[in-house]
């Protein structure tokens, strides 16, 4: 079965400092992995996705993630946090179901950005 | 390009009632997935529709059912509402290739009293 574990439920950083949100995955085959962001009272927005191409994936708003098969990790990073980055972040793995795919979400990491 | 839209935005029902939530896919997408997000948790997969047929289902009871229409819009129906059904219900649309990104709507907040 596919699953993801987000290692931190809350992360707090100062504006302008690096962001690291950690995610480990479990999958019986080469997975598709995603990071989504959810701002308060909003839907989910895709930050980036990995689908077995380059292991370093660049996303929107300066975020990137590196797929490390040996460590079964897909950590999300950003060199410099901005106040607008404060939100809930979800690491997601995709599982094929018949002709489609099912997304399995982690429990989320709440990112707080302080002045 | 029109994004995924959902209606209504908020809904209050009482235990035992039935509810219908609606979703319009992003232009060109033929696959719709529904997710339930309880407060403080990640979304949970309910089911997916492709070409008007259910195409995968999560661990939800049969009182959760759905429809997809020829224009690819979709409905989620929940019968015999329970207090634990209170959640944000998210719809996502995509193309049929399993590697395609799912694009989410803003959700419908359902409160069951």
């Amino acid at each position: 079965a596919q699953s993801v574990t987000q290692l931190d439920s809350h992360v707090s950083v100062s504006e302008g400092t690096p962001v690291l949100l950690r995610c480990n995955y479990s999958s019986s085959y080469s997975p598709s992995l995603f990071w989504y962001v959810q701002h308060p009272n909003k839907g989910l927005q895709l930050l980036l996705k990995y689908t077995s191409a380059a292991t370093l994936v660049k996303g929107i708003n300066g975020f990137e993630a590196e797929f490390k098969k040996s460590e079964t990790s897909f950590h999300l990073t950003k060199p410099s946090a901005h106040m607008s980055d404060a939100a809930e972040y979800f690491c997601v793995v995709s599982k094929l179901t018949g002709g489609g795919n099912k997304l399995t979400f982690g429990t989320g990491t709440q990112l707080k950005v302080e002045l | 390009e029109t994004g995924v839209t959902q209606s209504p935005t908020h809904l209050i029902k009482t235990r035992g009632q039935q509810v219908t939530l609606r979703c319009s896919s992003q232009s060109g997408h033929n696959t719709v997935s529904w997710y339930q997000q309880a407060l403080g948790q990640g979304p949970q997969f309910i089911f997916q529709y492709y070409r008007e047929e259910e195409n995968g289902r999560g661990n939800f009871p049969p009182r959760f059912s759905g429809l997809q229409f020829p224009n690819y819009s979709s409905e989620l129906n929940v019968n015999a509402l329970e207090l634990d059904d209170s959640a944000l219900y998210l719809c996502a649309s995509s193309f049929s290739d399993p590697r395609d990104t799912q694009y989410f709507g803003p959700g419908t907040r359902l409160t069951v009293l």
Side-chain angles (χ1 to χ4, degrees), chain B residues 42-53:
Chain B
Q44 300 288 317
F45 175 73
I46 303 175
F47 44 56
Q48 183 179 85
Y49 276 82
Y50 170 63
R51 291 186 175 178
E52 302 176 53
E53 297 285 334

Side-chain angles (χ1 to χ4, degrees), chain A residues 10-31:
Chain A
H10 294 82
V11 170
S12 184
V13 300
S14 298
E15 191 175 33
T17 63
V19 175
L20 170 64
L21 305 183
R22 298 182 294 164
C23 173
N24 288 347
Y25 71 90
S26 172
S27 178
S28 54
Y29 55 87
S30 184

Side-chain angles (χ1 to χ4, degrees), chain A residues 23-59:
Chain A
C23 173
N24 288 347
Y25 71 90
S26 172
S27 178
S28 54
Y29 55 87
S30 184
S32 292
L33 292 162
F34 307 79
W35 277 96
Y36 280 85
V37 62
Q38 187 174 36
H39 291 273
N41 300 314
K42 297 286 181 64
L44 290 153
Q45 181 183 20
L46 178 72
L47 280 177
L48 50 81
K49 69 176 182 180
Y50 167 78
T51 55
S52 75
T55 56
L56 182 62
V57 182
K58 294 188 183 299

Side-chain angles (χ1 to χ4, degrees), chain B residues 33-113:
Chain B
S33 305
W34 286 91
Y35 295 82
Q36 180 197 64
Q37 185 178 19
L39 200 61
Q41 298 182 22
Q44 300 288 317
F45 175 73
I46 303 175
F47 44 56
Q48 183 179 85
Y49 276 82
Y50 170 63
R51 291 186 175 178
E52 302 176 53
E53 297 285 334
E54 189 177 289
N55 185 36
R57 188 177 184 93
N59 189 27
F60 281 81
R63 59 189 186 83
F64 285 78
S65 62
L67 285 172
Q68 186 182 33
F69 301 99
N71 67 354
Y72 305 127
S73 65
S74 177
E75 287 182 355
L76 164 65
N77 299 288
V78 187
N79 294 322
L81 283 167
E82 301 177 0
L83 297 180
D84 285 349
D85 295 334
S86 295
L88 181 68
Y89 288 85
L90 295 161
C91 165
S93 76
S94 61
F95 295 107
S96 57
D97 188 320
R99 296 165 296 179
D100 283 335
T101 298
Q102 293 188 18
Y103 293 91
F104 285 81
T108 294
R109 173 73 62 186
L110 173 64
T111 301
V112 182
L113 302 176

Side-chain angles (χ1 to χ4, degrees), chain A residues 1-2 5 7-9 13 16 21-22 27 33 36 38-39 41 56 58 63 77 89-90 94-95 105-106 114:
Chain A
Q2 284 64 234
T5 301
L7 300 172
D8 306 290
S9 58
V13 300
L21 305 183
R22 298 182 294 164
S27 178
L33 292 162
Y36 280 85
Q38 187 174 36
H39 291 273
N41 300 314
L56 182 62
K58 294 188 183 299
F63 285 94
T77 61
Y89 291 79
F90 292 97
S94 176
K95 174 186 177 181
F105 285 75
E114 300 173 316

